[in-house]
Amino acid sequence: MAEPLLTLPAEPAAMSDAEFDVWAELLRERTGMRLARERRSFLITALAARMAERGFEDRAAYYAHLRAGAVGQLEWAALVDRLTVQETRFYRDAASLDWLRGAGLPALLSGLPPATALQAWSAGCATGEEAYTLAMLLDEALAGTGRYFGVTGSDLSLRALARARRGEFPARRLAPLPTEWRERYCEPLPGERYQVCERLRARTCFLQNNLLEPASSPLPAMHLIVCQNVLIYFDRPRREQLLAELARRLQPGGLLVLGAGELSRWRPAGLERVAQDHLLIFRRRADATVAPAAGTRA
Ligand SMILES: C[S@@+](CC[C@H](N)C(=O)[O-])C[C@H]1O[C@@H](n2cnc3c(N)ncnc32)[C@H](O)[C@@H]1O
């Protein structure tokens, strides 16, 4: 049997700095996420919950299991579901979405040949609210133009993606949506629940990826990429590395939407920031020559 790397305390309530650092490093190495020491009790609780499900009593043994080949990889995917925060909402960043609706998308569309199908990506989509919001936005913007669109939501968490694919939400979660979108795109189910309409679900797909492994994101030539409330987990070099990769996947004229304040003083090659100060949105310049993104076919 594999030796545990450290002798870790069996009592879940106690976790030394050294043990915390071992877990935090595993998380950083595999997902790029930083876990601050203040989140120690969150880590202890998440581990205890998952270990109880799997019948482990001792964190050292569980740690060894996680590092043990293919079985460990599968278990890791389940643990990551507990360690990532999948908080999200429909129409979450109203300022950016209002700008896209009023100015950004009309300008983007006016620069595209008539038959172009629009492709959008919600990078770090959690349970799908952001991806479906984009589908509603594009459906409205493209109504009557005869253009097609597709939205891809991606996330690390398999559990979140399974929920996203169902597209079912309690009625109260739809509250932030514009009323006309709620009426047009959401269908009532029994028990105060709604489901995003079949037409939009058919244009929205979800895939698992690790944003820090570009080869796991085969999504080139996007017109719109939204990556909000994800960068906060990564250190600055990884944020910049991820954003450079997203930027490479934009079509000329395509838009990259980040959360305001998520990365100040970022000056990406080939992108220009849109004029509004309170938004963090970049447009890929039409004349920018950018190398093909890693992990994509040219
Ligand atoms: C707080 S949610 C944000 C959801 C949505 N973008 C929003 O703003 O409402 C962050 C999501 O990022 C995902 N995530 C974290 N690290 C990731 C990584 N390395 N690759 C892909 N997804 C990741 C998490 O699983 C989580 O669902």
Side-chain angles (χ1 to χ4, degrees), residues 31 85-88 92 124 126 130 155-156 210-211 228-229:
T31 68
V85 178
Q86 289 134 24
E87 189 196 326
T88 184
R92 183 172 189 174
E130 185 178 86
D155 203 279
L156 204 52
N210 182 345
L211 287 169
Q228 294 192 314
N229 305 299

Side-chain angles (χ1 to χ4, degrees), residues 30-33 80 84-89 92 122-127 129-130 154-157 160 209-212 226-230 232-234:
R30 295 201 177 169
T31 68
M33 284 166 55
V80 157
T84 49
V85 178
Q86 289 134 24
E87 189 196 326
T88 184
R89 288 192 296 282
R92 183 172 189 174
S122 161
C125 66
T127 44
E129 286 86 334
E130 185 178 86
S154 70
D155 203 279
L156 204 52
S157 164
N209 77 350
N210 182 345
L211 287 169
L212 299 177
V226 177
C227 186
Q228 294 192 314
N229 305 299
V230 179
I232 39 174
Y233 298 116
F234 310 137

Side-chain angles (χ1 to χ4, degrees), residues 16-132:
S16 66
D17 285 354
E19 186 193 350
F20 177 88
D21 290 348
V22 167
W23 284 105
E25 177 55 23
L26 184 66
L27 193 64
R28 196 200 57 76
E29 172 194 310
R30 295 201 177 169
T31 68
M33 284 166 55
R34 295 167 308 162
L35 200 59
R37 287 240 172 106
E38 303 80 72
R39 307 212 63 210
R40 189 186 316 230
S41 58
F42 163 77
L43 175 63
I44 292 171
T45 309
L47 285 171
R50 183 59 194 162
M51 285 166 56
E53 279 172 7
R54 293 302 320 276
F56 281 89
E57 289 180 359
D58 165 81
R59 283 201 296 260
Y62 185 57
Y63 181 89
H65 178 72
L66 286 170
R67 301 217 67 131
V71 179
Q73 292 288 344
L74 276 178
E75 178 54 27
W76 174 254
L79 178 63
V80 157
D81 283 340
R82 293 191 177 274
L83 294 178
T84 49
V85 178
Q86 289 134 24
E87 189 196 326
T88 184
R89 288 192 296 282
F90 279 105
Y91 215 87
R92 183 172 189 174
D93 179 9
S96 296
L97 291 161
D98 287 347
W99 180 83
L100 284 172
R101 214 176 163 192
L105 281 178
L108 174 63
L109 288 174
S110 69
L112 293 179
T116 315
L118 250 82
Q119 296 296 340
W121 178 10
S122 161
C125 66
T127 44
E129 286 86 334
E130 185 178 86
Y132 288 124

